[in-house]
């Protein structure tokens, strides 16, 4: 049996993101090019469709708020699955996090809401680790059980503590959170004269779209939102630039080899799954902050969407952040404008047309033909549909999830031992 851990580092020395950006290559440069290409594409679609809500500051602000809970759930799934434990229970851990945040928040404020939500989510992660790592329960079965159990536990606790809710609403919600986290606007961009707002209202191609994006993500941003966004690079540094991260990832690639090298596999899996639950619970805290109150069924499937963002992002922090941003944008857009959702059909048509050309050039004729047919159908839908029914509009984030997963690259690579039950001494 080989003892070489499969997560070997790149042979080339790391030059750092700034050097990569200046000299060419590297993930930072690629991310910037993708961001520029995305902005140009959205500007074209906005100019053709006339739907200014596509790049408005209000849409971008809402997209940032709605993307954070999804991104935190995806980060939680990243820790767990990089350690080899599939976490279908992210939704249930988010539910526990919302209840913990609602209960602690209305009594002691937003700081206590953060602590309560993370602790309740971490308890869900601890239960998942106990079932999968210690008792060897199938990971999917354990995750589904936690989702079911979390909803029941939240309802039981609500009936226990919220029966005499002074704010009304019965046991389906908590009293309002007693305080909100502080917020700020980025100096120069969002303070003083509203230069970005004036530029946004002119609806110039690209410039107004850029102004809308910048204004949306820099105006009245809560400090906890900034901290959540910073968790993405922090996660990358922890998992890919520390010995702790190397040990954790080795448990998800080849736990037997890691065990033979002295890595405490069981302990690392426990730590990873508990962190996973805490991050999912933190995502639930943000949902409570957005509404200012805990409500039953508040997560609305965002734990599952976070899992989809994780897969779309190829189990990497940057990729899952892009996926969370996409789903958050779809959710924000359907809240801002029902007609703007139709413009997404034009966006889908353009993306699929580019994908079809790329696949044909690679001699993947069947896949290219399917993409071309769907692109034509999306374009015809854009030309013939004036306004989608409310039921379909409200389902936009979930439809986006299905579309992204169906069109995700087939070169996705999950951790080699993800979902496998490990027992010391077994090959």
């Amino acid at each position: 049996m080989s003892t070489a851990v499969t997560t070997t580092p790149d042979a080339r020395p790391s030059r750092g993101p700034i050097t990569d950006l200046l000299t060419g290559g590297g993930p930072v440069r690629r991310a910037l090019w993708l961001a520029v290409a995305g902005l140009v594409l959205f500007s074209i679609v906005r100019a053709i469709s006339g739907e200014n809500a596509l790049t408005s500051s209000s849409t971008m602000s809402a997209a940032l708020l709605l993307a954070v809970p999804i991104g935190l759930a995806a980060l939680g799934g990243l820790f767990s699955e990089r350690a080899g434990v599939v976490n279908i229970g992210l939704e249930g851990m988010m539910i526990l996090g919302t209840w913990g945040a609602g209960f602690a928040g209305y009594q002691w404020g937003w700081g206590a809401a953060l602590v309560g939500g993370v602790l309740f989510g971490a308890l869900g992660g601890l239960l998942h680790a106990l079932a999968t790592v210690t008792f060897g329960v199938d990971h999917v079965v354990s995750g589904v059980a936690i989702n079911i159990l979390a909803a029941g536990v939240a309802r039981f606790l609500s009936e226990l503590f919220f029966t005499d809710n002074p704010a009304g609403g019965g046991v389906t919600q908590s009293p309002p959170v007693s305080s909100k986290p502080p917020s700020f606007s980025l100096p120069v961009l969002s303070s003083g004269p509203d230069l970005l707002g004036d530029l946004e209202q002119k609806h110039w191609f690209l410039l107004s779209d850029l102004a809308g994006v910048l204004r949306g993500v820099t105006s009245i941003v809560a400090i906890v939102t900034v901290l959540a966004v910073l968790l993405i690079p922090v996660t990358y540094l922890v998992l890919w630039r520390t010995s702790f991260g190397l040990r954790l990832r080795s448990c998800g690639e080849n736990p037997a080899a890691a065990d033979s090298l002295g890595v405490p596999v069981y302990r690392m899996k426990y730590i990873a799954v508990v962190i996973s639950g805490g991050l999912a619970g933190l995502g639930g805290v943000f949902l409570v902050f957005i509404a200012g109150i805990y409500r039953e069924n508040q997560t609305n499937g965002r734990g599952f969407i976070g899992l989809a963002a994780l897969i779309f992002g190829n189990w990497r922090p940057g990729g899952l952040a892009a996926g969370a941003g996409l789903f958050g944008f779809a959710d924000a857009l359907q809240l801002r404008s029902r007609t703007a959702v139709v413009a997404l059909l034009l966006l889908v048509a353009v993306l699929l047309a580019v994908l079809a050309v790329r696949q044909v050039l690679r001699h993947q004729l069947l896949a290219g033909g399917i993409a071309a047919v769907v692109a034509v159908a999306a374009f015809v839908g854009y030309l013939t549909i004036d306004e989608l029914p409310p039921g379909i509009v409200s389902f936009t984030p979930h439809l986006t999830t299905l579309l992204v997963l169906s069109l995700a690259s087939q070169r996705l690579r999950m951790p080699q031992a993800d979902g496998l039950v490990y027992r010391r001494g077994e090959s």
Side-chain angles (χ1 to χ4, degrees), residues 150-340:
V153 168
R155 183 56 185 259
F156 171 76
L157 292 176
S158 295
E159 292 181 351
L160 194 63
F161 291 100
F162 299 152
T163 302
D164 299 325
N165 188 348
V171 297
T172 60
Q173 66 182 45
S174 70
V177 177
S178 58
S179 64
K180 293 184 178 181
S183 60
F184 68 98
S185 295
L186 194 65
V188 180
L189 289 179
S190 298
S191 61
D194 193 6
L195 300 178
L196 290 178
D198 295 338
L199 183 57
E200 179 188 353
Q201 295 303 318
K202 295 183 183 300
H203 304 306
W204 290 342
F205 176 75
L206 198 57
L207 290 178
S208 295
D209 301 299
L210 178 60
V213 173
L214 291 177
R215 186 166 179 253
V217 299
T218 59
S219 299
I220 316 178
V221 181
I223 290 179
V224 289
T225 302
V226 177
L227 295 177
V229 173
L230 290 178
L231 281 175
I232 295 171
V234 168
T235 297
Y236 170 76
L237 293 175
V238 169
L239 290 181
W240 274 269
R241 290 293 184 267
T242 66
S243 58
F244 167 80
L246 178 62
R247 293 189 183 99
L248 187 147
R249 289 185 292 119
S250 68
C251 295
E253 297 290 347
N254 194 333
D259 200 356
S260 67
L261 293 175
V263 176
V265 175
Y266 292 153
R267 186 193 310 165
M268 296 302 296
K269 286 178 179 287
Y270 260 91
I271 293 173
V273 180
V274 170
I275 292 175
S276 176
L279 288 171
L282 185 58
V285 173
F286 273 79
L287 293 176
V288 172
F289 284 162
I290 292 173
I293 197 170
Y294 160 78
R295 291 191 178 92
E296 198 170 66
N297 300 321
Q298 198 165 22
T299 57
N300 195 27
R302 286 181 174 85
F304 298 114
I305 296 178
L307 187 62
L310 172 65
I311 297 171
F312 168 77
N314 202 15
W315 291 269
R316 306 282 292 193
L320 68 85
L326 173 64
F327 301 135
F329 173 78
D331 203 359
L333 191 62
Q334 61 94 9
L335 294 175
R336 295 298 178 206
S337 173
R338 289 170 57 183
T339 58

Side-chain angles (χ1 to χ4, degrees), residues 39-104:
L39 180 62
V40 172
L41 179 59
F42 271 89
S43 299
I44 294 173
V45 173
R46 194 268 305 169
I48 294 174
S49 64
E51 294 291 345
N52 296 320
L54 283 173
T55 56
S56 69
S57 57
S58 61
T59 300
M60 295 302 160
S61 178
L64 177 62
L65 283 177
L66 296 170
V68 166
I70 296 173
L72 287 171
L75 279 178
L78 178 67
F79 271 93
S80 178
E81 301 211 8
R82 279 293 177 179
V85 180
V86 173
N87 195 350
I88 302 294
L90 290 171
E91 175 77 5
M93 296 169 196
M94 284 190 78
I95 292 174
L96 293 175
T98 57
W99 194 92
F103 175 76

Side-chain angles (χ1 to χ4, degrees), residues 353-387:
V354 173
L355 179 63
V357 172
R358 182 181 179 185
Q359 289 175 330
V360 169
L361 292 177
R362 292 184 174 184
H363 305 289
Q364 299 174 350
L365 300 182
L366 178 60
I370 294 175
V373 170
V374 179
V376 171
F379 184 68
V380 171
Y382 166 73
L383 294 177
T384 57
I385 298 174
D386 294 327
E387 185 174 328

